[in-house]
Amino acid sequence: RAFHTRAAAAMPPHGSAKKKKKGGRDGKDRGKRSGRGARGADHSRGVGGGSSLENLIDSGNEHLAMDRVREGLADLRRACALVPDNADAWDAYGTALAEFGHPDDAVKVLKRAAQLSPDLGYEKFMYLGQLLDDGEAAATCTRRGLALIEYQAAHGDEDAAERMCGACCALAEQLMGVAEEIDDVSDECDELLRRAAEADRRSAEPLQVLASLRVLQGRSDEALEALRQSMAIWRRDRKGGKGDDDDTAGDEIDEERFATEHEGEYDVSFEFRFECAKLLLELDESTDAAMDVLEELLEERDDVADVWHLLALANHGCCEFDRALEMLDRAESLYGIEGGGVGGPGGGPPGDGETDTDGNGTGLADGVKADLAELRSAIEESKASWNGE
């Protein structure tokens, strides 16, 4: 990895894959909104089976469950207009907008839902924690959501443990993001991650967030160890795989055994694994594990520029300069598609507030362009130096 450090500055920032992530906050894919099934569309009425508030909410949720987003949002919007002071309607509409609509619209509706029902429904607060740009305000909302989850757990909700794990991890990440000095929040983050691990011992997320915390604390060896333990969980406990009784728990990762994993076989999300790869590139002396994760991601989706970007960095790190340049070319072509990245189709991280200012119409943010140019320069410099030897 002689050339790895020089190019590391061009890596996408930590957290970009999780920014404003849709769905749950426990590192797992959430294709369907938590609570939609609980509200339970009445299939005997059929979709759009009436104009009453309950029917509109059920109909909207049913449309969304069937990927008819426009119709679903329309029904939920009508429900809010029909009974403007009904918290359930605003809660359902805000949560749907957070998953399928525009973040700014979602924030407005979720705030209204929080005003109408500040003591019930953790979801709106967790979504606000994801969507608000003000880090301190986001952490306040996440704390409120966590408090409501704790109340549910204390009153016998069997599903609250998993939610508590995700909420504790989310709050720890937010505290790390807003702290001027990591020492100011490190004790609280450690406690939150301990609680998260106790709440859901099968979750890989607390250990990966712990790895991020240890990175910020400058404790790289501990960070890598935590990350490897996290990987051991999610690479073992894939869908249909072994669970807590697996005798291999705690063993080193068998990379060959898991080299051919396919889409849908892991319980953790695409974004979660992308973040894992970024940490591996920062912490591991070898690029092998990171490249394995990234190549698996490509098997699932080959249209995500951030993945090609990291693969270019990884190949540069192991002195595969021509391949690194090929990967970088692919990343640049995909970054030119506006609104992409790990959070969306095509290019860079969505919603980062940056815009293309050179008038070329590519939608590629100036900061991303600078990172790509720096990485290309580093690869070409390394290649020339290598060939000169």
Side-chain angles (χ1 to χ4, degrees), residues 15-27:
S16 65
K18 292 185 176 181
K19 189 175 184 179
K20 298 181 180 177
K21 182 164 71 93
K22 298 176 181 178
R25 276 296 304 114
D26 58 358

Side-chain angles (χ1 to χ4, degrees), residues 1-240:
R1 273 197 346 159
F3 302 104
H4 198 150
T5 303
R6 165 78 201 293
M11 184 186 297
H14 284 297
S16 65
K18 292 185 176 181
K19 189 175 184 179
K20 298 181 180 177
K21 182 164 71 93
K22 298 176 181 178
R25 276 296 304 114
D26 58 358
K28 296 182 180 180
D29 287 307
R30 298 295 191 199
K32 294 187 178 180
R33 171 162 51 90
S34 173
R36 183 179 302 152
R39 291 187 176 95
D42 186 344
H43 298 278
S44 65
R45 283 196 298 266
V47 176
S51 60
S52 72
L53 178 68
E54 182 181 354
N55 285 354
L56 284 171
I57 294 175
D58 286 346
S59 174
N61 286 331
E62 179 71 3
H63 277 305
L64 295 174
M66 295 179 179
D67 294 323
R68 294 193 289 265
V69 175
R70 181 177 298 179
E71 295 88 342
L73 293 178
D75 276 348
L76 294 174
R77 184 168 57 250
R78 287 171 59 202
C80 293
L82 182 66
V83 186
D85 293 330
N86 184 272
D88 288 341
W90 287 91
D91 198 331
Y93 186 34
T95 304
L97 283 171
E99 291 196 9
F100 303 107
H102 193 282
D104 291 342
D105 295 334
V107 167
K108 293 176 183 177
V109 174
L110 290 166
K111 284 183 176 180
R112 176 61 175 158
Q115 291 172 347
L116 290 170
S117 181
D119 299 321
L120 292 174
Y122 71 94
E123 280 187 305
K124 54 181 171 283
F125 293 104
M126 297 307 298
Y127 274 109
L128 284 169
Q130 296 176 50
L131 295 171
L132 289 173
D133 291 325
D134 184 329
E136 292 185 2
T140 297
C141 288
T142 302
R143 286 186 191 278
R144 182 58 183 157
L146 177 57
L148 292 173
I149 293 170
E150 289 172 334
Y151 178 85
Q152 292 174 336
H155 288 77
D157 187 336
E158 295 180 355
D159 297 323
E162 183 179 346
R163 295 195 291 267
M164 188 179 300
C165 175
C168 287
C169 289
L171 182 55
E173 288 183 316
Q174 289 166 349
L175 292 174
M176 286 187 275
V178 300
E180 294 184 4
E181 297 290 339
I182 191 61
D183 289 343
D184 294 341
V185 298
S186 59
D187 288 344
E188 184 176 3
C189 289
D190 272 317
E191 175 61 18
L192 284 166
L193 296 175
R194 182 193 64 78
R195 289 175 57 197
E198 289 181 352
D200 186 358
R201 296 188 180 277
R202 295 188 60 173
S203 174
E205 187 174 20
L207 285 164
Q208 182 158 303
V209 179
L210 179 63
S212 297
L213 174 60
R214 295 293 181 256
V215 167
L216 294 175
Q217 292 174 314
R219 296 156 62 176
S220 297
D221 290 343
E222 294 177 45
L224 182 56
E225 178 59 26
L227 187 61
R228 285 173 171 165
Q229 291 176 15
S230 173
M231 291 181 69
I233 294 172
W234 64 259
R235 292 179 78 81
R236 181 188 71 243
D237 291 342
R238 63 197 188 283
K239 294 177 183 177

